[in-house]
Amino acid sequence: MRFAIISDLHANLEATQTVIADAHAKDCTHFVCLGDLVGYNANPHECIEIVRGLGCPIVKGNHDEQASLSESSRDFNELAEHAISWTRAQLTADDKQLLAALPMTREVHDFTIVHATLDTPAEWGYVFNNLDALASFTYQHTPICFFGHTHVAGAFACDGNVKRVKTEQLVIETGKKYFINTGSVGQPRDGDPRAAYCIYDTDNNVVEQRRLKYDLPAAQRKIIQAGLPRLLAERLELGR
Ligand code: ZN
């Protein structure tokens, strides 16, 4: 099986379409979504429709949670809050229902999926360093767990000690556990503005990082036209 693991689409239709087309071209047979379908960019309803159409396992992101509520229950920064209240107005009752019903974690085939962390998934903490990763590894009962939320692609491996490993072509070794961030489809923040996702080939035990150029100017134009903060358009081309 070849799984396309997509995360943090954030209502970026152009990036989402590009990633899904690439996954099909790369012979992916299954899709999995790590949450944050909405927020920040201009096509939340369309992105939900696409993911709904994939019929794939999905876990809940913090933006999915907030968009499904009638008003914010947690503090977002000003940019995110502006976008999330705009997003609520774009979503149908069905969209909100889908988001509200998403689970925090799931096991799929031989791996686990979560948006933020495995130790406290509903607290939306960020895994940036080895210590953060170690806390999640404690709750990880499959060799691989895919996560998102930081919008920074990369992975941690654990054989007792935790270290960072590269994901361009990551060969999964028996006896080790891996906590793998696929990067963000719709708003990368690791300095590379290209859309990010991972392919997990379960027959060959390889995880491959993909980065793709997409029609970024179109996504930016729509953000401006929607009256969303200009900074949300500008950050896309910076990958920040
Ligand atoms: Zn996100």
Side-chain angles (χ1 to χ4, degrees), residues 8 10 35-36 40 62-63 115 149-151 189:
D8 296 277
H10 283 298
D36 273 3
Y40 296 124
N62 51 322
H63 290 255
H115 184 68
H149 196 42
T150 62
H151 301 203
R189 293 180 197 155

Side-chain angles (χ1 to χ4, degrees), residues 118-119 131-141 158 162 177:
L118 278 179
D119 46 323
L131 204 62
D132 302 332
L134 186 61
S136 273
F137 276 127
T138 312
Y139 292 84
Q140 184 178 324
H141 306 299
C158 183
V162 178
K177 286 200 278 192

Side-chain angles (χ1 to χ4, degrees), residues 23-102:
H24 286 306
K26 299 289 282 180
D27 300 320
C28 289
T29 50
H30 297 72
F31 283 84
V32 166
C33 178
L34 310 182
D36 273 3
L37 284 67
V38 303
Y40 296 124
N41 297 300
N43 289 107
H45 170 71
E46 291 79 359
C47 286
I48 291 176
E49 281 293 284
I50 287 176
V51 176
R52 197 199 299 272
L54 294 173
C56 67
I58 314 169
V59 286
K60 190 183 286 187
N62 51 322
H63 290 255
D64 304 324
E65 176 185 69
Q66 294 304 318
S68 70
L69 301 173
S70 51
E71 59 182 64
S72 296
S73 68
R74 302 176 76 94
D75 276 347
F76 263 159
N77 67 46
E78 213 179 303
L79 275 183
E81 183 56 42
H82 186 144
I84 211 73
S85 57
W86 179 87
T87 297
R88 280 190 199 107
Q90 315 302 314
L91 299 183
T92 66
D94 272 1
D95 293 342
K96 289 180 188 169
Q97 211 164 38
L98 180 144
L99 297 180
L102 295 175

Side-chain angles (χ1 to χ4, degrees), residues 2-7 19 22 26 28 34 146-148 150-156 165-172 179-186 188-190 192-201 206-212:
R2 281 171 67 77
F3 285 90
I5 322 280
I6 59 176
S7 188
V19 159
D22 184 73
K26 299 289 282 180
C28 289
L34 310 182
F146 292 100
F147 76 107
T150 62
H151 301 203
V152 174
F156 300 88
V165 286
K166 292 201 182 294
T167 43
E168 279 83 8
Q169 282 282 346
L170 176 59
V171 179
I172 303 302
F179 197 54
I180 302 172
N181 194 306
T182 61
S184 168
V185 171
R189 293 180 197 155
D190 48 12
D192 182 345
R194 294 174 301 168
Y197 81 103
C198 280
I199 298 174
Y200 172 34
D201 187 317
V206 173
V207 175
E208 180 193 350
Q209 175 76 61
R210 303 281 301 155
R211 295 306 287 244
L212 301 162

